[in-house]
């Protein structure tokens, strides 16, 4: 598989990372994962906007423009002969002396991974309330960073089945998010999702869902909820940029039916409609006004 590494397109086994990279030594790096649908990088500009905000917070200087990333992605697609793909765009701080560094990083490492991505046969999931609490963010808000130990511990708790998603609670007992997803539930045609102040990652697909709901005049509430709020919901679903929108139909002994005319069904339909055209979720409102 050909991947992009610091200006070059290399075979994946040719890429070498220095042991002095502070992304390796101290977890100082961030990434974005998103999908290519029929050659189109869905919500690419939103992912890049979040990436740059995170890099600025970490004092990592990164100068690739949106148009340059689009060109790189087209080249990766062509070289690997892939139309539908998983992309991971990874930026690490780059090499430095051993020890905690507080200055600017001006020579980061950029790697863009690609692999084929096909339609999943998983149409629903089982939710498991985790015993492992969600850790608090390292800073003011959670970044999509290399710090994934909490997620890995949660994943080990539920096992490797792709049809099961663990749901974290905060140490205070509030709902937060899935191991690799954001959490939503529906009650009487109103949409609920944990507030970012619970320490969750503000996922791009999460933001898309909220933007979509507002464009449809659907009430959305971001707040602090307990497990019983979730278990009393009419419907539950999780979201992320790779798995899209997936209903959660069981949690323990509780079952949740997906209604034929539910908001979730409408959301899934619109998501499929937009995924080969949108570069930014701000285009949703303009599309709805046409």
């Amino acid at each position: 598989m050909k991947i992009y590494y610091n200006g070059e397109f290399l075979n994946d086994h040719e890429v070498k990372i220095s042991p002095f990279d502070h992304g390796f030594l101290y977890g100082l790096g961030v990434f974005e994962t998103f999908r290519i649908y029929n050659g189109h990088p869905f919500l690419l500009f939103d992912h890049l906007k979040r990436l740059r905000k995170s890099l600025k917070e970490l004092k990592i200087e990164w100068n690739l423009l949106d148009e340059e990333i689009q060109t790189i992605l087209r080249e990766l697609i062509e070289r690997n002969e892939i139309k539908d793909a998983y992309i991971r765009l990874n930026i690490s701080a780059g090499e430095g002396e051993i020890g905690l560094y507080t200055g600017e990083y001006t020579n980061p490492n950029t790697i863009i991974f690609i692999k084929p991505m096909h339609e999943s046969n998983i149409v629903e999931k089982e939710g498991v309330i985790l015993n492992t609490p969600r850790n608090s963010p390292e800073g003011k808000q959670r970044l999509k960073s290399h710090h994934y130990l909490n997620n890995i511990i949660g994943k080990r708790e539920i096992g490797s089945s792709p049809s099961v998603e663990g749901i974290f609670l905060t140490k205070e007992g509030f709902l937060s998010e899935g191991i690799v997803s954001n959490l939503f539930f529906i009650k009487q045609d109103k949409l609920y999702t944990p507030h970012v102040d619970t320490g969750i990652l503000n996922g791009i697909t999460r933001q898309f869902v909220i933007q979509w709901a507002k464009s449809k005049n659907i009430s959305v509430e971001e707040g602090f909820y307990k497990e019983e709020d979730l278990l009393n919901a009419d419907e539950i679903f999780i979201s992320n940029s790779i798995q899209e929108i997936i209903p959660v139909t069981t949690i323990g002994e509780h079952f949740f039916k997906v209604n034929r005319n539910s908001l979730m069904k409408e959301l899934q339909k619109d998501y499929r409609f937009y995924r080969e055209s949108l570069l930014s979720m701000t285009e949703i409102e303009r599309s709805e006004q046409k």
Side-chain angles (χ1 to χ4, degrees):
M1 192 66 68
K2 294 286 186 181
I3 66 176
Y4 175 88
Y5 176 63
N6 290 344
E8 298 182 274
F9 295 91
L10 303 173
N11 292 316
D12 49 13
H13 63 272
E14 296 177 303
V15 176
K16 309 296 180 185
I17 300 294
S18 167
F20 296 101
D21 187 318
H22 280 203
F24 169 73
L25 287 176
Y26 305 112
L28 203 63
V30 291
F31 68 99
E32 292 289 329
T33 55
F34 53 91
R35 285 180 65 167
I36 303 287
Y37 294 95
N38 193 29
H40 176 77
F42 183 48
L43 299 181
L44 174 64
F45 293 166
D46 296 303
H47 284 281
L48 293 177
K49 181 179 179 181
R50 182 175 66 175
L51 181 72
R52 290 192 175 93
K53 183 179 179 182
S54 299
L55 290 169
K56 183 178 180 180
E57 184 169 336
L58 296 178
K59 296 184 178 181
I60 298 174
E61 183 180 310
W62 189 70
N63 297 316
L64 283 176
L65 302 174
D66 289 359
E67 294 76 13
E68 292 176 295
I69 294 298
Q70 288 178 287
T71 300
I72 291 168
L73 292 174
R74 284 193 291 267
E75 185 73 14
L76 276 176
I77 290 168
E78 183 177 335
R79 285 174 180 259
N80 290 286
E81 298 181 344
I82 298 172
K83 285 289 187 180
D84 298 287
Y86 162 104
I87 298 290
R88 172 167 166 148
L89 197 172
N90 196 96
I91 315 295
S92 62
E95 293 184 40
E97 298 293 331
I98 294 178
L100 300 183
Y101 177 63
T102 60
E104 299 279 344
Y105 290 90
T106 59
N107 193 28
N109 286 315
T110 301
I111 305 178
I112 305 180
F113 304 87
I114 186 171
K115 68 178 182 181
M117 190 78 197
H118 307 291
E119 290 292 333
S120 174
N121 58 4
I122 298 175
V123 297
E124 60 186 44
K125 290 204 176 193
E126 174 190 356
V128 176
I129 304 297
L130 296 168
N131 294 315
T132 304
R134 191 55 165 139
N135 64 342
S136 58
E138 289 82 11
K140 292 182 180 179
Q141 60 183 347
R142 190 175 300 277
L143 307 181
K144 198 171 179 69
S145 74
H146 292 181
H147 296 269
Y148 256 62
L149 183 57
N150 189 225
N151 305 66
I152 292 170
I153 292 172
K155 184 63 175 175
R156 287 177 176 173
E157 186 179 327
I158 63 170
S160 60
S161 173
S163 62
V164 180
E165 175 66 318
I167 298 170
F168 285 113
L169 303 178
T170 67
K171 64 180 182 180
E172 296 83 9
F174 294 114
L175 295 169
S176 62
E177 58 190 336
I179 294 172
V180 292
S181 64
N182 285 118
L183 178 67
F184 289 85
F185 61 94
I186 300 168
K187 185 72 173 178
Q188 297 179 347
D189 292 328
K190 184 175 180 178
L191 199 55
Y192 298 84
T193 190
H195 198 282
V196 291
D197 287 348
T198 61
I200 64 171
L201 177 71
N202 189 11
I204 297 300
T205 309
R206 176 185 185 272
Q207 295 175 46
F208 172 90
V209 172
I210 294 172
Q211 182 81 8
W212 170 85
K214 290 179 179 178
S215 76
K216 299 283 187 178
N217 294 316
I218 296 168
S219 180
V220 183
E221 180 180 291
E222 302 174 64
F224 292 78
Y225 309 109
K226 294 286 191 173
E227 180 180 343
E228 53 265 33
D229 295 312
L230 187 67
L231 298 180
N232 287 321
D234 298 325
E235 295 179 330
I236 301 170
F237 66 91
I238 55 175
S239 68
N240 75 22
S241 296
I242 304 303
Q243 299 175 41
E244 303 178 344
I245 312 295
I246 304 182
V248 174
T249 54
T250 60
I251 298 178
E253 298 180 354
H254 298 263
F255 297 89
F256 303 91
K257 184 179 179 181
V258 180
N259 298 313
R260 182 181 300 176
N261 298 318
S262 73
L263 296 180
M264 193 195 320
K265 286 288 187 182
E266 185 179 357
L267 170 60
Q268 288 177 318
K269 179 182 177 182
D270 283 354
Y271 193 96
R272 288 191 293 269
F273 172 78
Y274 285 124
R275 66 189 187 182
E276 291 189 26
S277 61
L278 293 193
L279 284 169
S280 171
M281 66 187 75
T282 57
E283 298 169 24
I284 296 174
E285 187 173 345
R286 291 199 294 269
S287 177
E288 289 293 327
Q289 291 173 349
K290 289 181 179 179

